[in-house]
Amino acid sequence: MMREYLSEGDLISAEVQTVYSDGHLSLHTRSLKYGKLGQGILVKVSPSLVKRCKNHFHNLPCGVTVILGNNGYIWICPLQSNEGAEGGFVQRLDPISEQEREAMVRMRNSILCLAQYKMMLYDTSAYYAYEASSQYQLYEMLKPEAMQNIVNMTRQRIETEM
C-alpha cells in the first residue's frame, strides 16, 4: 500500500519507532502531518545542535514551516496549513511565489549561520536569526562578518528574554 504513495528516493517525515539489531528501522506516521515532503529546502547540520523538544513541526511568523529532525536534517517549506487535512495524502504542486522562496532561503541561511557558530537550533533561535538577518541581502548573509553579526544579535536577544 505504501508503494502507491511513495517510491525510493522520496523525502519523508516520520518518527523512528524501533531500531532493530540488524540496523533496520520501523517508521511510524501516526498523524497526517507526517508523510512525503514536497517542495522545500533540506539542510543538514550536526544532530547535536538540534534541541530536543516535544514538537518538531513549527509554523513560523515569517511564512515558513520548519521541521527540525533530531537526526540533524531540517526541512524548510512554505507555510503549511492544517486546513483540508481531514484525511488522505495531499502534495502541494502549485508554484512557490518569489516571496515564499526568499523567506525559505533566508531561513536556510539563518540556520546555517547558527550552525556555523555552534548555536543550538530550535524554533525560537531560528526565527530570531531570521529577523536579525533582515538587514542583509540573501547573498550577503553567508559572508563571515554578516554571519557573526547575525549570531551575536540572536544570542543577545535570547539572553535578554531568559
Side-chain angles (χ1 to χ4, degrees):
M1 182 171 152
M2 290 299 284
R3 294 217 180 254
E4 293 175 24
Y5 302 109
L6 301 171
S7 58
E8 290 181 29
D10 286 346
L11 287 173
I12 64 165
S13 172
E15 286 184 8
V16 176
Q17 188 174 25
T18 310
V19 179
Y20 297 102
S21 59
D22 63 357
H24 283 86
L25 300 174
S26 174
L27 300 178
H28 191 56
T29 56
R30 60 186 168 101
S31 71
L32 294 174
K33 66 183 177 182
Y34 297 106
K36 188 174 180 177
L37 299 173
Q39 299 175 354
I41 300 172
L42 182 65
V43 180
K44 173 71 174 136
V45 299
S46 171
S48 64
L49 294 176
V50 178
K51 184 177 180 181
R52 293 193 178 270
C53 53
K54 284 181 100 173
N55 184 18
H56 299 281
F57 293 77
H58 305 282
N59 287 334
L60 300 179
C62 57
V64 299
T65 295
V66 176
I67 304 173
L68 299 166
N70 287 336
N71 60 359
Y73 287 100
I74 300 173
W75 183 253
I76 305 164
C77 62
L79 198 59
Q80 302 288 312
S81 70
N82 292 335
E83 296 172 19
E86 60 275 343
F89 179 83
V90 180
Q91 186 177 4
R92 179 180 172 180
L93 296 174
D94 54 317
I96 297 175
S97 71
E98 183 175 347
Q99 182 180 357
E100 289 173 314
R101 284 194 312 271
E102 286 179 4
M104 289 166 47
V105 171
R106 183 168 299 281
M107 180 55 68
R108 171 201 174 265
N109 290 353
S110 298
I111 288 169
L112 291 176
C113 288
L114 296 176
Q116 177 72 30
Y117 285 85
K118 309 293 187 238
M119 253 187 99
M120 289 300 288
L121 295 165
Y122 54 103
D123 59 331
T124 305
S125 68
Y127 181 64
Y128 286 175
Y130 180 96
E131 286 189 327
S133 74
S134 64
Q135 63 183 323
Y136 297 102
Q137 295 293 323
L138 294 175
Y139 67 90
E140 297 174 322
M141 288 179 65
L142 296 180
K143 293 181 179 176
E145 58 277 358
M147 291 176 84
Q148 188 166 18
N149 190 27
I150 291 167
V151 169
N152 288 339
M153 289 191 309
T154 303
R155 246 190 213 118
Q156 287 174 345
R157 187 164 174 196
I158 289 171
E159 288 171 3
T160 58
E161 294 191 6
M162 290 183 114

